[in-house]
Amino acid sequence: MSKILIRGAKVLGGEPQDVLITDETITAVGTDLTVSSAEGAQVVEAGGKILLPGLVDLHTHLREPGREDSETVLTGTRAAASGGYTAVFAMANTFPVADTAGVVEQVYRLGKEHGYCDVQPIGAVTVGLEGKKLAELGAMHESAAGVTVFSDDGKCVDDAVIMRRALEYVKAFGGVVAQHAQEPRLTEGAQMNEGVVSAELGLGGWPAVAEESIIARDVLLAEHVGSRVHICHLSTAGSVEIVRWAKSRGIDVTAEVTPHHLLLTDEMVRTYNPVYKVNPPLRTERDVMALREALADGTIDIVATDHAPHPHEDKDCEWAAAAMGMVGLETALSVVQQTMVETGLLTWADVAERMSFAPARIGRATGHGRPVSVGEPANLTLVDSAYRGEVDPAGFASRSRNTPYEGRELPGRVTHTFLRGRATLVDGKLA
Ligand SMILES: NC(=O)N[C@@H](CC(=O)O)C(=O)O
C-alpha cells in the first residue's frame, strides 16, 4: 500500500488542508491528518500552494501517428503532466487521420502505455477531414477508445448537411461535435486577423464574421436537431455574443477559449515573427477583453490549450509560409493565472471549474474533473502561485518549442501532478 500526504495545501484556493492519498484514491481530507491515518505516508509539504483537481485539456494536438517530428503521444503527455494535466483529448488531424476505430485505439493505447496522462482520442467528423462523408462515428465510440468527442479541427465542417447529420448521429450516444468555426471561402488566403493591422501590413485578412457565421449556423442546427455542440477556440467578441444568445435560448452549446487568445493581440504580428501565427488568428484588444469577460461570466465554459506543436523548420521561415499553431500545455495555467486570477476575474475554484470539472463533463472523461474529496481518484495538481519566472522553452517536455512566451515573465508554476495517486511530476520534474 502506498500513502502520500499532501500537507497544508489550499484546496481549490481555500483554507489549508491535508490530503491523504492511498494507492489511487483520496482517502482523507482534513486539517491535521499527520497524527492519525497518515502514518508512514510520504509527505509533500504544500504550505502556501494551491491544490487543484488534475487539469483536463479538451483540445491537444499530439501529432502521433504521422508527425512524430513535432510531437508524440509520449512527449505530448509528458508536456501535459508538466503543465498539471491528468487528461488530454487528442485532436484527429494526424496522418493517417483519426477517422477509424483502428487509429483512435492506437492513440488511446499509447497514452495508457506511457502513463503520464490519460489520452482520450477525438474522432474525425468526416473521412480524411475532407468534409464530404461522415466518418465511422459509431465504430469509434464503440471501440476501446470510447470516443465521445468528434472534430475536424484544423478544418471546419462547413457543409451544413454534414454538420446536421453529425449532430444527429452523436446524439444517440451522448457524444458532442466540436466545431472549428472557420468559413473556408471567407478565409481563403487569410494570414492574420482582418483589421487595422492587416491593412497596414498588407497581409490577407481573416474576418471575424468567418468564425461568427459558422457559430451562428451551428447553434441553430444544434437547436433544430436537439443535440449538443461545442465550439472550439472562440476568438472574437461577436462569437461571445452569439454563444451568450444561444445559451439564453437554452441551446445545448459549450465553448472554449485558448490561453493565447486571453493574452495576445494582432499587434504582435507587426514583428512578423511566425510564432504568433495561429488559427484562429490573434485578434484585437477589444476581443481579448470580451473573451476574458465571457470566461468569467460562464458564457465561455472552459480554457483549452489548442497545443499545436510544430518543428523549427515549419516555423522559422517567412510569415506566409509558416505553419499555424503554438504549443500551450506547459504555460496554460500561468497564462490563466495572469489574465484571469490576478485580474480578479476568476478565483482558483473558478479555475478548477474551467480547466478541470467542465472540460471533463463536456468530454465525459471518467474519473477526471472530480472534487478533491474522499473516495475520488487522486488526480491532482499542485501549484506554486507565488512563483515568478521567465518562460524558457529549452526546459519544455514537448518536442516542439513554438511558444509565444519565450523570455516573458509569467506567474505560477505547477510543482506536482498526480495521476491516480502516482506522481507524474515532482518538484517541477517529470517522474
Ligand atoms: N491551431 C492551429 O493554429 N493549428 C492547428 C490546427 C488548426 O486549427 O489550424 C494544428 O494542428 O497545427
Side-chain angles (χ1 to χ4, degrees), residues 3-11 16-21 26 28-30 33-34 38 41-47 49-52 372 378 380-382 416-418:
K3 281 189 180 185
I4 300 170
L5 179 67
I6 302 172
R7 192 148 58 191
K10 298 182 201 163
V11 178
Q17 296 205 300
D18 299 338
V19 174
L20 181 67
I21 302 171
I26 298 171
V29 180
L33 305 175
T34 42
Q42 181 198 330
V43 176
V44 176
E45 292 296 351
K49 293 186 187 171
I50 313 283
L51 187 67
L52 298 175
V372 181
L380 297 166
T381 297
L382 194 57
H416 294 70
T417 309
F418 298 92

PDB file of all heavy atoms in Angstrom, residues 3-11 16-21 26 28-30 33-34 38 41-47 49-52 372 378 380-382 416-418:
ATOM      1  N   LYS A   3       1.184   5.418   0.426  1.00  0.00           N
ATOM      2  CA  LYS A   3       0.467   6.561   1.008  1.00  0.00           C
ATOM      3  C   LYS A   3       1.249   7.844   0.754  1.00  0.00           C
ATOM      4  O   LYS A   3       2.461   7.889   0.994  1.00  0.00           O
ATOM      5  CB  LYS A   3       0.325   6.381   2.524  1.00  0.00           C
ATOM      6  CG  LYS A   3      -0.780   5.433   2.946  1.00  0.00           C
ATOM      7  CD  LYS A   3      -0.949   5.518   4.455  1.00  0.00           C
ATOM      8  CE  LYS A   3      -2.048   4.582   4.931  1.00  0.00           C
ATOM      9  NZ  LYS A   3      -2.293   4.744   6.374  1.00  0.00           N
ATOM     10  N   ILE A   4       0.548   8.860   0.295  1.00  0.00           N
ATOM     11  CA  ILE A   4       1.166  10.180   0.125  1.00  0.00           C
ATOM     12  C   ILE A   4       0.314  11.190   0.878  1.00  0.00           C
ATOM     13  O   ILE A   4      -0.916  11.207   0.737  1.00  0.00           O
ATOM     14  CB  ILE A   4       1.236  10.572  -1.372  1.00  0.00           C
ATOM     15  CG1 ILE A   4       2.077   9.558  -2.164  1.00  0.00           C
ATOM     16  CG2 ILE A   4       1.800  11.979  -1.545  1.00  0.00           C
ATOM     17  CD1 ILE A   4       1.999   9.721  -3.667  1.00  0.00           C
ATOM     18  N   LEU A   5       0.983  12.017   1.683  1.00  0.00           N
ATOM     19  CA  LEU A   5       0.257  13.070   2.401  1.00  0.00           C
ATOM     20  C   LEU A   5       0.662  14.423   1.818  1.00  0.00           C
ATOM     21  O   LEU A   5       1.830  14.812   1.891  1.00  0.00           O
ATOM     22  CB  LEU A   5       0.600  13.022   3.888  1.00  0.00           C
ATOM     23  CG  LEU A   5      -0.085  14.112   4.730  1.00  0.00           C
ATOM     24  CD1 LEU A   5      -1.592  13.898   4.784  1.00  0.00           C
ATOM     25  CD2 LEU A   5       0.502  14.151   6.140  1.00  0.00           C
ATOM     26  N   ILE A   6      -0.306  15.112   1.229  1.00  0.00           N
ATOM     27  CA  ILE A   6      -0.054  16.474   0.747  1.00  0.00           C
ATOM     28  C   ILE A   6      -0.456  17.388   1.895  1.00  0.00           C
ATOM     29  O   ILE A   6      -1.624  17.444   2.293  1.00  0.00           O
ATOM     30  CB  ILE A   6      -0.890  16.771  -0.523  1.00  0.00           C
ATOM     31  CG1 ILE A   6      -0.564  15.757  -1.627  1.00  0.00           C
ATOM     32  CG2 ILE A   6      -0.623  18.194  -1.019  1.00  0.00           C
ATOM     33  CD1 ILE A   6      -1.463  15.843  -2.843  1.00  0.00           C
ATOM     34  N   ARG A   7       0.556  18.081   2.467  1.00  0.00           N
ATOM     35  CA  ARG A   7       0.296  18.778   3.733  1.00  0.00           C
ATOM     36  C   ARG A   7       0.133  20.293   3.551  1.00  0.00           C
ATOM     37  O   ARG A   7       1.001  20.953   2.993  1.00  0.00           O
ATOM     38  CB  ARG A   7       1.436  18.497   4.722  1.00  0.00           C
ATOM     39  CG  ARG A   7       1.090  18.942   6.133  1.00  0.00           C
ATOM     40  CD  ARG A   7       1.699  18.092   7.200  1.00  0.00           C
ATOM     41  NE  ARG A   7       3.158  18.042   7.098  1.00  0.00           N
ATOM     42  CZ  ARG A   7       3.909  17.202   7.797  1.00  0.00           C
ATOM     43  NH1 ARG A   7       3.350  16.344   8.620  1.00  0.00           N
ATOM     44  NH2 ARG A   7       5.211  17.207   7.660  1.00  0.00           N
ATOM     45  N   GLY A   8      -0.989  20.784   4.013  1.00  0.00           N
ATOM     46  CA  GLY A   8      -1.200  22.229   4.127  1.00  0.00           C
ATOM     47  C   GLY A   8      -1.485  22.952   2.823  1.00  0.00           C
ATOM     48  O   GLY A   8      -1.242  24.158   2.721  1.00  0.00           O
ATOM     49  N   ALA A   9      -2.025  22.249   1.823  1.00  0.00           N
ATOM     50  CA  ALA A   9      -2.324  22.924   0.552  1.00  0.00           C
ATOM     51  C   ALA A   9      -3.677  23.622   0.624  1.00  0.00           C
ATOM     52  O   ALA A   9      -4.591  23.150   1.304  1.00  0.00           O
ATOM     53  CB  ALA A   9      -2.333  21.907  -0.592  1.00  0.00           C
ATOM     54  N   LYS A  10      -3.777  24.748  -0.078  1.00  0.00           N
ATOM     55  CA  LYS A  10      -5.069  25.437  -0.158  1.00  0.00           C
ATOM     56  C   LYS A  10      -5.896  24.726  -1.220  1.00  0.00           C
ATOM     57  O   LYS A  10      -5.679  24.919  -2.425  1.00  0.00           O
ATOM     58  CB  LYS A  10      -4.866  26.896  -0.543  1.00  0.00           C
ATOM     59  CG  LYS A  10      -4.049  27.691   0.454  1.00  0.00           C
ATOM     60  CD  LYS A  10      -3.982  29.131  -0.031  1.00  0.00           C
ATOM     61  CE  LYS A  10      -2.829  29.874   0.574  1.00  0.00           C
ATOM     62  NZ  LYS A  10      -2.517  31.110  -0.165  1.00  0.00           N
ATOM     63  N   VAL A  11      -6.835  23.900  -0.766  1.00  0.00           N
ATOM     64  CA  VAL A  11      -7.629  23.105  -1.702  1.00  0.00           C
ATOM     65  C   VAL A  11      -8.570  24.031  -2.477  1.00  0.00           C
ATOM     66  O   VAL A  11      -9.373  24.742  -1.874  1.00  0.00           O
ATOM     67  CB  VAL A  11      -8.422  22.009  -0.949  1.00  0.00           C
ATOM     68  CG1 VAL A  11      -9.287  21.217  -1.917  1.00  0.00           C
ATOM     69  CG2 VAL A  11      -7.455  21.078  -0.220  1.00  0.00           C
ATOM     70  N   PRO A  16      -6.075  26.045   4.142  1.00  0.00           N
ATOM     71  CA  PRO A  16      -5.096  24.959   4.075  1.00  0.00           C
ATOM     72  C   PRO A  16      -5.666  23.660   4.646  1.00  0.00           C
ATOM     73  O   PRO A  16      -6.304  23.673   5.696  1.00  0.00           O
ATOM     74  CB  PRO A  16      -3.943  25.456   4.945  1.00  0.00           C
ATOM     75  CG  PRO A  16      -4.118  26.920   5.036  1.00  0.00           C
ATOM     76  CD  PRO A  16      -5.587  27.191   4.908  1.00  0.00           C
ATOM     77  N   GLN A  17      -5.398  22.575   3.946  1.00  0.00           N
ATOM     78  CA  GLN A  17      -5.863  21.262   4.388  1.00  0.00           C
ATOM     79  C   GLN A  17      -4.808  20.215   4.052  1.00  0.00           C
ATOM     80  O   GLN A  17      -3.953  20.434   3.200  1.00  0.00           O
ATOM     81  CB  GLN A  17      -7.166  20.895   3.674  1.00  0.00           C
ATOM     82  CG  GLN A  17      -8.306  21.832   4.018  1.00  0.00           C
ATOM     83  CD  GLN A  17      -9.646  21.170   3.845  1.00  0.00           C
ATOM     84  OE1 GLN A  17      -9.988  20.731   2.761  1.00  0.00           O
ATOM     85  NE2 GLN A  17     -10.399  21.080   4.915  1.00  0.00           N
ATOM     86  N   ASP A  18      -4.911  19.095   4.722  1.00  0.00           N
ATOM     87  CA  ASP A  18      -4.062  17.949   4.387  1.00  0.00           C
ATOM     88  C   ASP A  18      -4.891  16.996   3.538  1.00  0.00           C
ATOM     89  O   ASP A  18      -6.074  16.793   3.813  1.00  0.00           O
ATOM     90  CB  ASP A  18      -3.608  17.229   5.651  1.00  0.00           C
ATOM     91  CG  ASP A  18      -2.795  18.129   6.566  1.00  0.00           C
ATOM     92  OD1 ASP A  18      -2.239  19.130   6.062  1.00  0.00           O
ATOM     93  OD2 ASP A  18      -2.735  17.849   7.774  1.00  0.00           O
ATOM     94  N   VAL A  19      -4.257  16.419   2.538  1.00  0.00           N
ATOM     95  CA  VAL A  19      -4.957  15.468   1.680  1.00  0.00           C
ATOM     96  C   VAL A  19      -4.145  14.181   1.657  1.00  0.00           C
ATOM     97  O   VAL A  19      -2.955  14.200   1.329  1.00  0.00           O
ATOM     98  CB  VAL A  19      -5.134  16.031   0.249  1.00  0.00           C
ATOM     99  CG1 VAL A  19      -5.730  14.983  -0.679  1.00  0.00           C
ATOM    100  CG2 VAL A  19      -6.013  17.277   0.268  1.00  0.00           C
ATOM    101  N   LEU A  20      -4.790  13.097   2.030  1.00  0.00           N
ATOM    102  CA  LEU A  20      -4.108  11.804   2.056  1.00  0.00           C
ATOM    103  C   LEU A  20      -4.533  10.973   0.856  1.00  0.00           C
ATOM    104  O   LEU A  20      -5.727  10.828   0.571  1.00  0.00           O
ATOM    105  CB  LEU A  20      -4.457  11.056   3.355  1.00  0.00           C
ATOM    106  CG  LEU A  20      -3.775   9.687   3.523  1.00  0.00           C
ATOM    107  CD1 LEU A  20      -2.263   9.829   3.701  1.00  0.00           C
ATOM    108  CD2 LEU A  20      -4.388   8.932   4.714  1.00  0.00           C
ATOM    109  N   ILE A  21      -3.514  10.462   0.163  1.00  0.00           N
ATOM    110  CA  ILE A  21      -3.761   9.579  -0.974  1.00  0.00           C
ATOM    111  C   ILE A  21      -3.312   8.181  -0.570  1.00  0.00           C
ATOM    112  O   ILE A  21      -2.187   7.999  -0.098  1.00  0.00           O
ATOM    113  CB  ILE A  21      -2.937  10.025  -2.201  1.00  0.00           C
ATOM    114  CG1 ILE A  21      -3.257  11.471  -2.595  1.00  0.00           C
ATOM    115  CG2 ILE A  21      -3.166   9.085  -3.380  1.00  0.00           C
ATOM    116  CD1 ILE A  21      -2.318  12.040  -3.665  1.00  0.00           C
ATOM    117  N   ILE A  26      -8.146   9.269  -3.030  1.00  0.00           N
ATOM    118  CA  ILE A  26      -8.092  10.212  -1.918  1.00  0.00           C
ATOM    119  C   ILE A  26      -8.820   9.553  -0.748  1.00  0.00           C
ATOM    120  O   ILE A  26      -9.996   9.197  -0.870  1.00  0.00           O
ATOM    121  CB  ILE A  26      -8.779  11.547  -2.283  1.00  0.00           C
ATOM    122  CG1 ILE A  26      -8.038  12.222  -3.458  1.00  0.00           C
ATOM    123  CG2 ILE A  26      -8.848  12.483  -1.076  1.00  0.00           C
ATOM    124  CD1 ILE A  26      -8.747  13.438  -4.043  1.00  0.00           C
ATOM    125  N   ALA A  28      -8.428  10.712   2.734  1.00  0.00           N
ATOM    126  CA  ALA A  28      -8.753  11.620   3.834  1.00  0.00           C
ATOM    127  C   ALA A  28      -8.465  13.044   3.408  1.00  0.00           C
ATOM    128  O   ALA A  28      -7.518  13.313   2.680  1.00  0.00           O
ATOM    129  CB  ALA A  28      -7.940  11.266   5.084  1.00  0.00           C
ATOM    130  N   VAL A  29      -9.308  13.967   3.882  1.00  0.00           N
ATOM    131  CA  VAL A  29      -9.090  15.393   3.664  1.00  0.00           C
ATOM    132  C   VAL A  29      -9.428  16.059   4.986  1.00  0.00           C
ATOM    133  O   VAL A  29     -10.508  15.824   5.531  1.00  0.00           O
ATOM    134  CB  VAL A  29     -10.017  15.963   2.550  1.00  0.00           C
ATOM    135  CG1 VAL A  29      -9.758  17.459   2.352  1.00  0.00           C
ATOM    136  CG2 VAL A  29      -9.837  15.223   1.227  1.00  0.00           C
ATOM    137  N   GLY A  30      -8.492  16.818   5.529  1.00  0.00           N
ATOM    138  CA  GLY A  30      -8.780  17.429   6.835  1.00  0.00           C
ATOM    139  C   GLY A  30      -7.708  18.398   7.235  1.00  0.00           C
ATOM    140  O   GLY A  30      -6.792  18.685   6.460  1.00  0.00           O
ATOM    141  N   LEU A  33      -4.038  15.648   9.619  1.00  0.00           N
ATOM    142  CA  LEU A  33      -4.072  14.200   9.417  1.00  0.00           C
ATOM    143  C   LEU A  33      -2.774  13.535   9.843  1.00  0.00           C
ATOM    144  O   LEU A  33      -2.643  12.324   9.803  1.00  0.00           O
ATOM    145  CB  LEU A  33      -4.333  13.877   7.944  1.00  0.00           C
ATOM    146  CG  LEU A  33      -5.588  14.500   7.339  1.00  0.00           C
ATOM    147  CD1 LEU A  33      -5.661  14.192   5.863  1.00  0.00           C
ATOM    148  CD2 LEU A  33      -6.825  13.973   8.042  1.00  0.00           C
ATOM    149  N   THR A  34      -1.792  14.367  10.235  1.00  0.00           N
ATOM    150  CA  THR A  34      -0.456  13.828  10.467  1.00  0.00           C
ATOM    151  C   THR A  34      -0.420  12.772  11.566  1.00  0.00           C
ATOM    152  O   THR A  34       0.363  11.844  11.521  1.00  0.00           O
ATOM    153  CB  THR A  34       0.540  14.955  10.818  1.00  0.00           C
ATOM    154  OG1 THR A  34      -0.135  15.838  11.706  1.00  0.00           O
ATOM    155  CG2 THR A  34       1.006  15.669   9.604  1.00  0.00           C
ATOM    156  N   ALA A  38      -2.409   9.005   8.541  1.00  0.00           N
ATOM    157  CA  ALA A  38      -1.326   9.259   7.591  1.00  0.00           C
ATOM    158  C   ALA A  38       0.010   8.631   7.983  1.00  0.00           C
ATOM    159  O   ALA A  38       1.026   8.869   7.345  1.00  0.00           O
ATOM    160  CB  ALA A  38      -1.150  10.764   7.408  1.00  0.00           C
ATOM    161  N   ALA A  41       3.143   7.704   5.672  1.00  0.00           N
ATOM    162  CA  ALA A  41       2.964   8.309   4.346  1.00  0.00           C
ATOM    163  C   ALA A  41       4.183   9.133   3.951  1.00  0.00           C
ATOM    164  O   ALA A  41       4.877   9.702   4.801  1.00  0.00           O
ATOM    165  CB  ALA A  41       1.733   9.206   4.338  1.00  0.00           C
ATOM    166  N   GLN A  42       4.419   9.175   2.652  1.00  0.00           N
ATOM    167  CA  GLN A  42       5.434  10.073   2.120  1.00  0.00           C
ATOM    168  C   GLN A  42       4.810  11.469   2.126  1.00  0.00           C
ATOM    169  O   GLN A  42       3.671  11.646   1.678  1.00  0.00           O
ATOM    170  CB  GLN A  42       5.714   9.603   0.693  1.00  0.00           C
ATOM    171  CG  GLN A  42       6.760  10.383  -0.044  1.00  0.00           C
ATOM    172  CD  GLN A  42       6.633  10.121  -1.538  1.00  0.00           C
ATOM    173  OE1 GLN A  42       6.206   9.043  -1.966  1.00  0.00           O
ATOM    174  NE2 GLN A  42       6.986  11.115  -2.328  1.00  0.00           N
ATOM    175  N   VAL A  43       5.532  12.453   2.676  1.00  0.00           N
ATOM    176  CA  VAL A  43       4.918  13.772   2.858  1.00  0.00           C
ATOM    177  C   VAL A  43       5.360  14.750   1.768  1.00  0.00           C
ATOM    178  O   VAL A  43       6.537  14.865   1.455  1.00  0.00           O
ATOM    179  CB  VAL A  43       5.274  14.336   4.259  1.00  0.00           C
ATOM    180  CG1 VAL A  43       4.728  15.754   4.421  1.00  0.00           C
ATOM    181  CG2 VAL A  43       4.727  13.419   5.351  1.00  0.00           C
ATOM    182  N   VAL A  44       4.400  15.425   1.196  1.00  0.00           N
ATOM    183  CA  VAL A  44       4.675  16.521   0.262  1.00  0.00           C
ATOM    184  C   VAL A  44       4.273  17.802   0.990  1.00  0.00           C
ATOM    185  O   VAL A  44       3.091  18.022   1.255  1.00  0.00           O
ATOM    186  CB  VAL A  44       3.857  16.366  -1.046  1.00  0.00           C
ATOM    187  CG1 VAL A  44       4.077  17.566  -1.970  1.00  0.00           C
ATOM    188  CG2 VAL A  44       4.207  15.060  -1.756  1.00  0.00           C
ATOM    189  N   GLU A  45       5.278  18.624   1.336  1.00  0.00           N
ATOM    190  CA  GLU A  45       4.969  19.879   2.035  1.00  0.00           C
ATOM    191  C   GLU A  45       4.407  20.866   1.026  1.00  0.00           C
ATOM    192  O   GLU A  45       5.073  21.229   0.067  1.00  0.00           O
ATOM    193  CB  GLU A  45       6.232  20.461   2.688  1.00  0.00           C
ATOM    194  CG  GLU A  45       6.785  19.629   3.852  1.00  0.00           C
ATOM    195  CD  GLU A  45       5.837  19.539   5.059  1.00  0.00           C
ATOM    196  OE1 GLU A  45       4.813  20.245   5.102  1.00  0.00           O
ATOM    197  OE2 GLU A  45       6.132  18.710   5.955  1.00  0.00           O
ATOM    198  N   ALA A  46       3.169  21.296   1.247  1.00  0.00           N
ATOM    199  CA  ALA A  46       2.496  22.114   0.232  1.00  0.00           C
ATOM    200  C   ALA A  46       2.005  23.442   0.795  1.00  0.00           C
ATOM    201  O   ALA A  46       1.110  24.073   0.235  1.00  0.00           O
ATOM    202  CB  ALA A  46       1.337  21.326  -0.359  1.00  0.00           C
ATOM    203  N   GLY A  47       2.611  23.869   1.913  1.00  0.00           N
ATOM    204  CA  GLY A  47       2.197  25.127   2.545  1.00  0.00           C
ATOM    205  C   GLY A  47       2.204  26.276   1.550  1.00  0.00           C
ATOM    206  O   GLY A  47       3.202  26.496   0.873  1.00  0.00           O
ATOM    207  N   LYS A  49       0.721  26.534  -1.216  1.00  0.00           N
ATOM    208  CA  LYS A  49       0.404  26.153  -2.605  1.00  0.00           C
ATOM    209  C   LYS A  49      -1.089  25.885  -2.788  1.00  0.00           C
ATOM    210  O   LYS A  49      -1.806  25.637  -1.832  1.00  0.00           O
ATOM    211  CB  LYS A  49       1.206  24.916  -3.011  1.00  0.00           C
ATOM    212  CG  LYS A  49       2.706  25.192  -3.108  1.00  0.00           C
ATOM    213  CD  LYS A  49       3.432  23.989  -3.638  1.00  0.00           C
ATOM    214  CE  LYS A  49       4.950  24.211  -3.576  1.00  0.00           C
ATOM    215  NZ  LYS A  49       5.676  22.981  -3.887  1.00  0.00           N
ATOM    216  N   ILE A  50      -1.505  25.914  -4.040  1.00  0.00           N
ATOM    217  CA  ILE A  50      -2.908  25.683  -4.396  1.00  0.00           C
ATOM    218  C   ILE A  50      -3.044  24.247  -4.897  1.00  0.00           C
ATOM    219  O   ILE A  50      -2.273  23.828  -5.772  1.00  0.00           O
ATOM    220  CB  ILE A  50      -3.347  26.624  -5.547  1.00  0.00           C
ATOM    221  CG1 ILE A  50      -2.909  28.080  -5.315  1.00  0.00           C
ATOM    222  CG2 ILE A  50      -4.844  26.505  -5.820  1.00  0.00           C
ATOM    223  CD1 ILE A  50      -3.706  28.847  -4.331  1.00  0.00           C
ATOM    224  N   LEU A  51      -4.017  23.523  -4.377  1.00  0.00           N
ATOM    225  CA  LEU A  51      -4.272  22.169  -4.870  1.00  0.00           C
ATOM    226  C   LEU A  51      -5.543  22.181  -5.726  1.00  0.00           C
ATOM    227  O   LEU A  51      -6.611  22.621  -5.275  1.00  0.00           O
ATOM    228  CB  LEU A  51      -4.430  21.188  -3.703  1.00  0.00           C
ATOM    229  CG  LEU A  51      -4.528  19.713  -4.117  1.00  0.00           C
ATOM    230  CD1 LEU A  51      -3.210  19.210  -4.718  1.00  0.00           C
ATOM    231  CD2 LEU A  51      -4.911  18.832  -2.916  1.00  0.00           C
ATOM    232  N   LEU A  52      -5.374  21.728  -6.955  1.00  0.00           N
ATOM    233  CA  LEU A  52      -6.497  21.695  -7.902  1.00  0.00           C
ATOM    234  C   LEU A  52      -6.757  20.260  -8.336  1.00  0.00           C
ATOM    235  O   LEU A  52      -5.860  19.413  -8.277  1.00  0.00           O
ATOM    236  CB  LEU A  52      -6.150  22.521  -9.161  1.00  0.00           C
ATOM    237  CG  LEU A  52      -5.882  24.013  -8.988  1.00  0.00           C
ATOM    238  CD1 LEU A  52      -5.435  24.622 -10.318  1.00  0.00           C
ATOM    239  CD2 LEU A  52      -7.129  24.729  -8.473  1.00  0.00           C
ATOM    240  N   VAL A 372     -12.077  17.340  -4.920  1.00  0.00           N
ATOM    241  CA  VAL A 372     -10.982  16.856  -4.076  1.00  0.00           C
ATOM    242  C   VAL A 372     -11.622  16.375  -2.780  1.00  0.00           C
ATOM    243  O   VAL A 372     -11.689  17.099  -1.795  1.00  0.00           O
ATOM    244  CB  VAL A 372      -9.946  17.979  -3.827  1.00  0.00           C
ATOM    245  CG1 VAL A 372      -8.800  17.457  -2.958  1.00  0.00           C
ATOM    246  CG2 VAL A 372      -9.396  18.505  -5.161  1.00  0.00           C
ATOM    247  N   ALA A 378      -7.296   9.968  -7.187  1.00  0.00           N
ATOM    248  CA  ALA A 378      -6.334  11.023  -6.841  1.00  0.00           C
ATOM    249  C   ALA A 378      -5.666  11.590  -8.092  1.00  0.00           C
ATOM    250  O   ALA A 378      -4.496  11.338  -8.371  1.00  0.00           O
ATOM    251  CB  ALA A 378      -5.312  10.489  -5.856  1.00  0.00           C
ATOM    252  N   LEU A 380      -4.582  15.004  -9.274  1.00  0.00           N
ATOM    253  CA  LEU A 380      -4.398  16.277  -8.576  1.00  0.00           C
ATOM    254  C   LEU A 380      -3.229  17.070  -9.148  1.00  0.00           C
ATOM    255  O   LEU A 380      -2.286  16.500  -9.693  1.00  0.00           O
ATOM    256  CB  LEU A 380      -4.134  16.011  -7.090  1.00  0.00           C
ATOM    257  CG  LEU A 380      -5.268  15.321  -6.306  1.00  0.00           C
ATOM    258  CD1 LEU A 380      -4.753  14.816  -4.960  1.00  0.00           C
ATOM    259  CD2 LEU A 380      -6.454  16.259  -6.119  1.00  0.00           C
ATOM    260  N   THR A 381      -3.322  18.379  -8.977  1.00  0.00           N
ATOM    261  CA  THR A 381      -2.290  19.296  -9.457  1.00  0.00           C
ATOM    262  C   THR A 381      -1.962  20.289  -8.356  1.00  0.00           C
ATOM    263  O   THR A 381      -2.870  20.905  -7.801  1.00  0.00           O
ATOM    264  CB  THR A 381      -2.820  20.070 -10.683  1.00  0.00           C
ATOM    265  OG1 THR A 381      -3.077  19.137 -11.724  1.00  0.00           O
ATOM    266  CG2 THR A 381      -1.817  21.082 -11.192  1.00  0.00           C
ATOM    267  N   LEU A 382      -0.685  20.424  -8.060  1.00  0.00           N
ATOM    268  CA  LEU A 382      -0.252  21.343  -7.013  1.00  0.00           C
ATOM    269  C   LEU A 382       0.474  22.524  -7.667  1.00  0.00           C
ATOM    270  O   LEU A 382       1.391  22.326  -8.466  1.00  0.00           O
ATOM    271  CB  LEU A 382       0.674  20.590  -6.054  1.00  0.00           C
ATOM    272  CG  LEU A 382       0.999  21.213  -4.714  1.00  0.00           C
ATOM    273  CD1 LEU A 382      -0.259  21.505  -3.896  1.00  0.00           C
ATOM    274  CD2 LEU A 382       1.912  20.265  -3.923  1.00  0.00           C
ATOM    275  N   HIS A 416       3.679  19.705  -8.713  1.00  0.00           N
ATOM    276  CA  HIS A 416       3.380  18.275  -8.646  1.00  0.00           C
ATOM    277  C   HIS A 416       2.122  17.956  -9.433  1.00  0.00           C
ATOM    278  O   HIS A 416       1.158  18.724  -9.392  1.00  0.00           O
ATOM    279  CB  HIS A 416       3.140  17.824  -7.196  1.00  0.00           C
ATOM    280  CG  HIS A 416       4.350  17.916  -6.317  1.00  0.00           C
ATOM    281  ND1 HIS A 416       4.879  19.119  -5.911  1.00  0.00           N
ATOM    282  CD2 HIS A 416       5.133  16.945  -5.773  1.00  0.00           C
ATOM    283  CE1 HIS A 416       5.941  18.889  -5.147  1.00  0.00           C
ATOM    284  NE2 HIS A 416       6.126  17.578  -5.050  1.00  0.00           N
ATOM    285  N   THR A 417       2.143  16.837 -10.113  1.00  0.00           N
ATOM    286  CA  THR A 417       0.927  16.312 -10.748  1.00  0.00           C
ATOM    287  C   THR A 417       0.797  14.851 -10.324  1.00  0.00           C
ATOM    288  O   THR A 417       1.795  14.111 -10.320  1.00  0.00           O
ATOM    289  CB  THR A 417       1.020  16.415 -12.279  1.00  0.00           C
ATOM    290  OG1 THR A 417       1.384  17.749 -12.645  1.00  0.00           O
ATOM    291  CG2 THR A 417      -0.315  16.081 -12.946  1.00  0.00           C
ATOM    292  N   PHE A 418      -0.408  14.454  -9.964  1.00  0.00           N
ATOM    293  CA  PHE A 418      -0.668  13.062  -9.563  1.00  0.00           C
ATOM    294  C   PHE A 418      -1.719  12.468 -10.480  1.00  0.00           C
ATOM    295  O   PHE A 418      -2.801  13.043 -10.634  1.00  0.00           O
ATOM    296  CB  PHE A 418      -1.177  12.993  -8.115  1.00  0.00           C
ATOM    297  CG  PHE A 418      -0.186  13.518  -7.114  1.00  0.00           C
ATOM    298  CD1 PHE A 418      -0.225  14.856  -6.720  1.00  0.00           C
ATOM    299  CD2 PHE A 418       0.789  12.692  -6.570  1.00  0.00           C
ATOM    300  CE1 PHE A 418       0.686  15.355  -5.792  1.00  0.00           C
ATOM    301  CE2 PHE A 418       1.708  13.181  -5.642  1.00  0.00           C
ATOM    302  CZ  PHE A 418       1.658  14.516  -5.258  1.00  0.00           C
TER     303      PHE A 418
END
